[in-house]
Amino acid sequence: MNTDELEAAAYRAERRVLETDHTERPLLFLDVDGPLLPFGENPQRKARGTTSDSRLARLTAEVGRQLATLPCELVWATTWGDEANAEIAPRIGLPQLPVVNWPESSDEDERQDQWFGLHWKTRTLVTWAAGRPFAWVDDEITGADRDWVTAHHSGQALLHHVESSRGLAEEDFEALDQWLRAL
């Protein structure tokens, strides 16, 4: 076998291992607005001349490459829903990813979430993870969400807040990679 054939065989073997170990890999729940599409210096005001297409033009393949190298299963956890696979994934070089669907919450859950100061995604993500270790990247995570996940999730979890004005940065990728590899 030549070098190219050896590399191709190694790649196929690695993919088989990843595919068969798929359910054991930790999850990474990924929000879009804020972490992947930062709001800039003033998140309350849309920048002059900014359209949704120009916002999407800021997405880079480098972000996709960095996400793809993390040792986890990526999952969209965004209000973009399936549109994240149609609009975001191709622009950053990711394949189609699983998408968290947001169920209607009960009045009781809404009252409790408001009382505890929980983000509206928190309960659903814990349910979706079903005990698997997970990291959650979002710009709206608070200490209340961390406390609730600690009390209600049987696996390990990292709730990683990203500044919405800058989006995912090198230090965020380093923190995620370190936490995921330590599992």
PDB file of all heavy atoms in Angstrom, residues 162-180:
ATOM      1  N   VAL A 162     -20.991  32.092  26.206  1.00  0.00           N
ATOM      2  CA  VAL A 162     -20.212  32.790  25.186  1.00  0.00           C
ATOM      3  C   VAL A 162     -20.742  34.213  25.101  1.00  0.00           C
ATOM      4  O   VAL A 162     -21.953  34.429  25.051  1.00  0.00           O
ATOM      5  CB  VAL A 162     -20.342  32.090  23.809  1.00  0.00           C
ATOM      6  CG1 VAL A 162     -19.670  32.885  22.719  1.00  0.00           C
ATOM      7  CG2 VAL A 162     -19.775  30.684  23.876  1.00  0.00           C
ATOM      8  N   GLU A 163     -19.836  35.165  25.084  1.00  0.00           N
ATOM      9  CA  GLU A 163     -20.241  36.570  24.953  1.00  0.00           C
ATOM     10  C   GLU A 163     -20.879  36.787  23.582  1.00  0.00           C
ATOM     11  O   GLU A 163     -20.248  36.532  22.558  1.00  0.00           O
ATOM     12  CB  GLU A 163     -19.037  37.502  25.127  1.00  0.00           C
ATOM     13  CG  GLU A 163     -18.507  37.558  26.535  1.00  0.00           C
ATOM     14  CD  GLU A 163     -19.534  38.071  27.529  1.00  0.00           C
ATOM     15  OE1 GLU A 163     -20.321  38.983  27.190  1.00  0.00           O
ATOM     16  OE2 GLU A 163     -19.558  37.543  28.655  1.00  0.00           O
ATOM     17  N   SER A 164     -22.108  37.275  23.580  1.00  0.00           N
ATOM     18  CA  SER A 164     -22.837  37.459  22.322  1.00  0.00           C
ATOM     19  C   SER A 164     -22.216  38.536  21.436  1.00  0.00           C
ATOM     20  O   SER A 164     -22.417  38.535  20.226  1.00  0.00           O
ATOM     21  CB  SER A 164     -24.299  37.806  22.595  1.00  0.00           C
ATOM     22  OG  SER A 164     -24.390  39.043  23.268  1.00  0.00           O
ATOM     23  N   SER A 165     -21.447  39.432  22.016  1.00  0.00           N
ATOM     24  CA  SER A 165     -20.847  40.499  21.209  1.00  0.00           C
ATOM     25  C   SER A 165     -19.656  40.013  20.388  1.00  0.00           C
ATOM     26  O   SER A 165     -19.290  40.623  19.396  1.00  0.00           O
ATOM     27  CB  SER A 165     -20.411  41.656  22.102  1.00  0.00           C
ATOM     28  OG  SER A 165     -19.430  41.220  23.026  1.00  0.00           O
ATOM     29  N   ARG A 166     -19.042  38.872  20.798  1.00  0.00           N
ATOM     30  CA  ARG A 166     -17.859  38.390  20.077  1.00  0.00           C
ATOM     31  C   ARG A 166     -18.025  37.005  19.482  1.00  0.00           C
ATOM     32  O   ARG A 166     -17.328  36.630  18.565  1.00  0.00           O
ATOM     33  CB  ARG A 166     -16.614  38.420  20.965  1.00  0.00           C
ATOM     34  CG  ARG A 166     -16.635  37.421  22.097  1.00  0.00           C
ATOM     35  CD  ARG A 166     -15.264  37.247  22.723  1.00  0.00           C
ATOM     36  NE  ARG A 166     -15.325  36.534  23.963  1.00  0.00           N
ATOM     37  CZ  ARG A 166     -15.499  35.232  24.087  1.00  0.00           C
ATOM     38  NH1 ARG A 166     -15.640  34.481  23.022  1.00  0.00           N
ATOM     39  NH2 ARG A 166     -15.542  34.665  25.264  1.00  0.00           N
ATOM     40  N   GLY A 167     -18.937  36.197  20.020  1.00  0.00           N
ATOM     41  CA  GLY A 167     -19.125  34.838  19.529  1.00  0.00           C
ATOM     42  C   GLY A 167     -18.010  33.910  19.996  1.00  0.00           C
ATOM     43  O   GLY A 167     -17.152  34.291  20.798  1.00  0.00           O
ATOM     44  N   LEU A 168     -18.050  32.679  19.506  1.00  0.00           N
ATOM     45  CA  LEU A 168     -17.046  31.681  19.876  1.00  0.00           C
ATOM     46  C   LEU A 168     -15.654  32.157  19.493  1.00  0.00           C
ATOM     47  O   LEU A 168     -15.424  32.577  18.361  1.00  0.00           O
ATOM     48  CB  LEU A 168     -17.326  30.350  19.174  1.00  0.00           C
ATOM     49  CG  LEU A 168     -18.386  29.463  19.796  1.00  0.00           C
ATOM     50  CD1 LEU A 168     -18.773  28.347  18.839  1.00  0.00           C
ATOM     51  CD2 LEU A 168     -17.923  28.898  21.118  1.00  0.00           C
ATOM     52  N   ALA A 169     -14.752  32.083  20.458  1.00  0.00           N
ATOM     53  CA  ALA A 169     -13.370  32.502  20.241  1.00  0.00           C
ATOM     54  C   ALA A 169     -12.438  31.348  20.590  1.00  0.00           C
ATOM     55  O   ALA A 169     -12.865  30.311  21.108  1.00  0.00           O
ATOM     56  CB  ALA A 169     -13.057  33.725  21.105  1.00  0.00           C
ATOM     57  N   GLU A 170     -11.178  31.527  20.317  1.00  0.00           N
ATOM     58  CA  GLU A 170     -10.180  30.478  20.551  1.00  0.00           C
ATOM     59  C   GLU A 170     -10.227  29.954  21.981  1.00  0.00           C
ATOM     60  O   GLU A 170     -10.158  28.753  22.209  1.00  0.00           O
ATOM     61  CB  GLU A 170      -8.779  31.003  20.210  1.00  0.00           C
ATOM     62  CG  GLU A 170      -7.735  29.916  20.134  1.00  0.00           C
ATOM     63  CD  GLU A 170      -8.041  28.864  19.063  1.00  0.00           C
ATOM     64  OE1 GLU A 170      -8.486  29.213  17.970  1.00  0.00           O
ATOM     65  OE2 GLU A 170      -7.827  27.669  19.352  1.00  0.00           O
ATOM     66  N   GLU A 171     -10.367  30.845  22.950  1.00  0.00           N
ATOM     67  CA  GLU A 171     -10.394  30.394  24.355  1.00  0.00           C
ATOM     68  C   GLU A 171     -11.625  29.538  24.659  1.00  0.00           C
ATOM     69  O   GLU A 171     -11.571  28.651  25.513  1.00  0.00           O
ATOM     70  CB  GLU A 171     -10.285  31.568  25.339  1.00  0.00           C
ATOM     71  CG  GLU A 171     -11.375  32.600  25.240  1.00  0.00           C
ATOM     72  CD  GLU A 171     -11.010  33.789  24.371  1.00  0.00           C
ATOM     73  OE1 GLU A 171     -10.105  33.696  23.521  1.00  0.00           O
ATOM     74  OE2 GLU A 171     -11.662  34.839  24.550  1.00  0.00           O
ATOM     75  N   ASP A 172     -12.730  29.787  23.953  1.00  0.00           N
ATOM     76  CA  ASP A 172     -13.922  28.947  24.125  1.00  0.00           C
ATOM     77  C   ASP A 172     -13.655  27.541  23.597  1.00  0.00           C
ATOM     78  O   ASP A 172     -13.992  26.547  24.250  1.00  0.00           O
ATOM     79  CB  ASP A 172     -15.117  29.559  23.393  1.00  0.00           C
ATOM     80  CG  ASP A 172     -15.480  30.926  23.922  1.00  0.00           C
ATOM     81  OD1 ASP A 172     -15.668  31.067  25.144  1.00  0.00           O
ATOM     82  OD2 ASP A 172     -15.560  31.854  23.102  1.00  0.00           O
ATOM     83  N   PHE A 173     -13.044  27.452  22.414  1.00  0.00           N
ATOM     84  CA  PHE A 173     -12.724  26.140  21.842  1.00  0.00           C
ATOM     85  C   PHE A 173     -11.739  25.381  22.736  1.00  0.00           C
ATOM     86  O   PHE A 173     -11.866  24.171  22.917  1.00  0.00           O
ATOM     87  CB  PHE A 173     -12.175  26.272  20.425  1.00  0.00           C
ATOM     88  CG  PHE A 173     -13.241  26.587  19.415  1.00  0.00           C
ATOM     89  CD1 PHE A 173     -13.314  27.847  18.838  1.00  0.00           C
ATOM     90  CD2 PHE A 173     -14.181  25.632  19.047  1.00  0.00           C
ATOM     91  CE1 PHE A 173     -14.298  28.143  17.912  1.00  0.00           C
ATOM     92  CE2 PHE A 173     -15.169  25.925  18.127  1.00  0.00           C
ATOM     93  CZ  PHE A 173     -15.235  27.187  17.556  1.00  0.00           C
ATOM     94  N   GLU A 174     -10.779  26.083  23.298  1.00  0.00           N
ATOM     95  CA  GLU A 174      -9.810  25.443  24.201  1.00  0.00           C
ATOM     96  C   GLU A 174     -10.504  24.897  25.443  1.00  0.00           C
ATOM     97  O   GLU A 174     -10.234  23.772  25.863  1.00  0.00           O
ATOM     98  CB  GLU A 174      -8.711  26.430  24.589  1.00  0.00           C
ATOM     99  CG  GLU A 174      -7.763  26.750  23.458  1.00  0.00           C
ATOM    100  CD  GLU A 174      -6.802  27.890  23.776  1.00  0.00           C
ATOM    101  OE1 GLU A 174      -6.758  28.352  24.943  1.00  0.00           O
ATOM    102  OE2 GLU A 174      -6.085  28.319  22.845  1.00  0.00           O
ATOM    103  N   ALA A 175     -11.407  25.681  26.032  1.00  0.00           N
ATOM    104  CA  ALA A 175     -12.128  25.238  27.228  1.00  0.00           C
ATOM    105  C   ALA A 175     -13.005  24.027  26.916  1.00  0.00           C
ATOM    106  O   ALA A 175     -13.035  23.055  27.691  1.00  0.00           O
ATOM    107  CB  ALA A 175     -12.974  26.384  27.793  1.00  0.00           C
ATOM    108  N   LEU A 176     -13.714  24.062  25.790  1.00  0.00           N
ATOM    109  CA  LEU A 176     -14.562  22.932  25.403  1.00  0.00           C
ATOM    110  C   LEU A 176     -13.733  21.686  25.143  1.00  0.00           C
ATOM    111  O   LEU A 176     -14.063  20.591  25.624  1.00  0.00           O
ATOM    112  CB  LEU A 176     -15.373  23.285  24.157  1.00  0.00           C
ATOM    113  CG  LEU A 176     -16.475  24.319  24.351  1.00  0.00           C
ATOM    114  CD1 LEU A 176     -16.962  24.845  23.010  1.00  0.00           C
ATOM    115  CD2 LEU A 176     -17.620  23.723  25.157  1.00  0.00           C
ATOM    116  N   ASP A 177     -12.661  21.824  24.377  1.00  0.00           N
ATOM    117  CA  ASP A 177     -11.806  20.690  24.056  1.00  0.00           C
ATOM    118  C   ASP A 177     -11.227  20.069  25.327  1.00  0.00           C
ATOM    119  O   ASP A 177     -11.253  18.845  25.488  1.00  0.00           O
ATOM    120  CB  ASP A 177     -10.680  21.127  23.117  1.00  0.00           C
ATOM    121  CG  ASP A 177      -9.885  19.944  22.601  1.00  0.00           C
ATOM    122  OD1 ASP A 177     -10.465  19.081  21.915  1.00  0.00           O
ATOM    123  OD2 ASP A 177      -8.668  19.882  22.898  1.00  0.00           O
ATOM    124  N   GLN A 178     -10.748  20.893  26.226  1.00  0.00           N
ATOM    125  CA  GLN A 178     -10.163  20.392  27.482  1.00  0.00           C
ATOM    126  C   GLN A 178     -11.205  19.637  28.298  1.00  0.00           C
ATOM    127  O   GLN A 178     -10.929  18.543  28.803  1.00  0.00           O
ATOM    128  CB  GLN A 178      -9.583  21.550  28.279  1.00  0.00           C
ATOM    129  CG  GLN A 178      -8.884  21.122  29.542  1.00  0.00           C
ATOM    130  CD  GLN A 178      -8.282  22.316  30.272  1.00  0.00           C
ATOM    131  OE1 GLN A 178      -8.733  23.448  30.154  1.00  0.00           O
ATOM    132  NE2 GLN A 178      -7.235  22.051  31.043  1.00  0.00           N
ATOM    133  N   TRP A 179     -12.399  20.198  28.429  1.00  0.00           N
ATOM    134  CA  TRP A 179     -13.443  19.550  29.227  1.00  0.00           C
ATOM    135  C   TRP A 179     -13.861  18.232  28.576  1.00  0.00           C
ATOM    136  O   TRP A 179     -13.983  17.204  29.265  1.00  0.00           O
ATOM    137  CB  TRP A 179     -14.645  20.477  29.379  1.00  0.00           C
ATOM    138  CG  TRP A 179     -15.687  19.924  30.295  1.00  0.00           C
ATOM    139  CD1 TRP A 179     -15.705  19.971  31.654  1.00  0.00           C
ATOM    140  CD2 TRP A 179     -16.861  19.189  29.907  1.00  0.00           C
ATOM    141  NE1 TRP A 179     -16.812  19.324  32.135  1.00  0.00           N
ATOM    142  CE2 TRP A 179     -17.535  18.839  31.085  1.00  0.00           C
ATOM    143  CE3 TRP A 179     -17.403  18.809  28.682  1.00  0.00           C
ATOM    144  CZ2 TRP A 179     -18.735  18.137  31.080  1.00  0.00           C
ATOM    145  CZ3 TRP A 179     -18.585  18.093  28.671  1.00  0.00           C
ATOM    146  CH2 TRP A 179     -19.242  17.762  29.861  1.00  0.00           C
ATOM    147  N   LEU A 180     -14.087  18.233  27.267  1.00  0.00           N
ATOM    148  CA  LEU A 180     -14.527  17.031  26.572  1.00  0.00           C
ATOM    149  C   LEU A 180     -13.476  15.921  26.648  1.00  0.00           C
ATOM    150  O   LEU A 180     -13.811  14.745  26.837  1.00  0.00           O
ATOM    151  CB  LEU A 180     -14.852  17.348  25.121  1.00  0.00           C
ATOM    152  CG  LEU A 180     -16.117  18.187  24.917  1.00  0.00           C
ATOM    153  CD1 LEU A 180     -16.134  18.801  23.517  1.00  0.00           C
ATOM    154  CD2 LEU A 180     -17.372  17.356  25.175  1.00  0.00           C
TER     155      LEU A 180
END
